[in-house]
Amino acid sequence: MLMAITLKKAKDVKTAPLVATGLIGGWLTARETGIRPLGGVILGAAGAYAARTWHEKTGALGTTGLVATYLGAFGLSHPLAKKIGAWPSVLAVTALAAGAAAVADSK
């Protein structure tokens, strides 16, 4: 039997925690399982759910900027990790992206 899933209204979702879940949770999942694509699933699912809210609150242009920030943070974490280490890198880019999301959440 299939069950329906009811999502919270987009405007009621706080996206900063979703961003943190996607970036930290995705990295940690990939690291602990050794399955990088599985980390990508976490990253993608959290980002897609956040983008739904960003679109509701900021429109297409704001969503584009926030998605670019989210994906840019993911991309930046890799070279940054070579300079400062994995955990500091993931935490730094997560703070940046979650901060941008928190600004959108306040709308």
Side-chain angles (χ1 to χ4, degrees):
M1 170 163 69
L2 295 174
M3 298 179 76
I5 296 174
T6 304
L7 299 177
K8 198 177 204 182
K9 290 182 181 180
K11 66 180 180 176
D12 296 333
V13 174
K14 298 295 183 196
T15 61
L18 286 171
V19 166
T21 298
L23 291 168
I24 295 171
W27 172 75
L28 197 55
T29 299
R31 187 183 117 197
E32 294 302 314
T33 65
I35 305 170
R36 292 181 75 174
L38 186 55
V41 169
I42 304 297
L43 178 79
Y49 196 61
R52 172 181 169 263
T53 291
W54 295 332
H55 189 266
E56 179 77 21
K57 291 184 177 182
T58 68
L61 188 59
T63 302
T64 300
L66 288 159
V67 168
T69 300
Y70 181 66
L71 295 176
F74 168 70
L76 177 63
S77 70
H78 293 82
L80 188 58
K82 292 179 182 180
K83 296 191 182 300
I84 66 172
W87 266 116
S89 171
V90 170
L91 293 175
V93 301
T94 298
L96 174 77
V103 170
D105 288 343
S106 68
K107 294 183 182 226

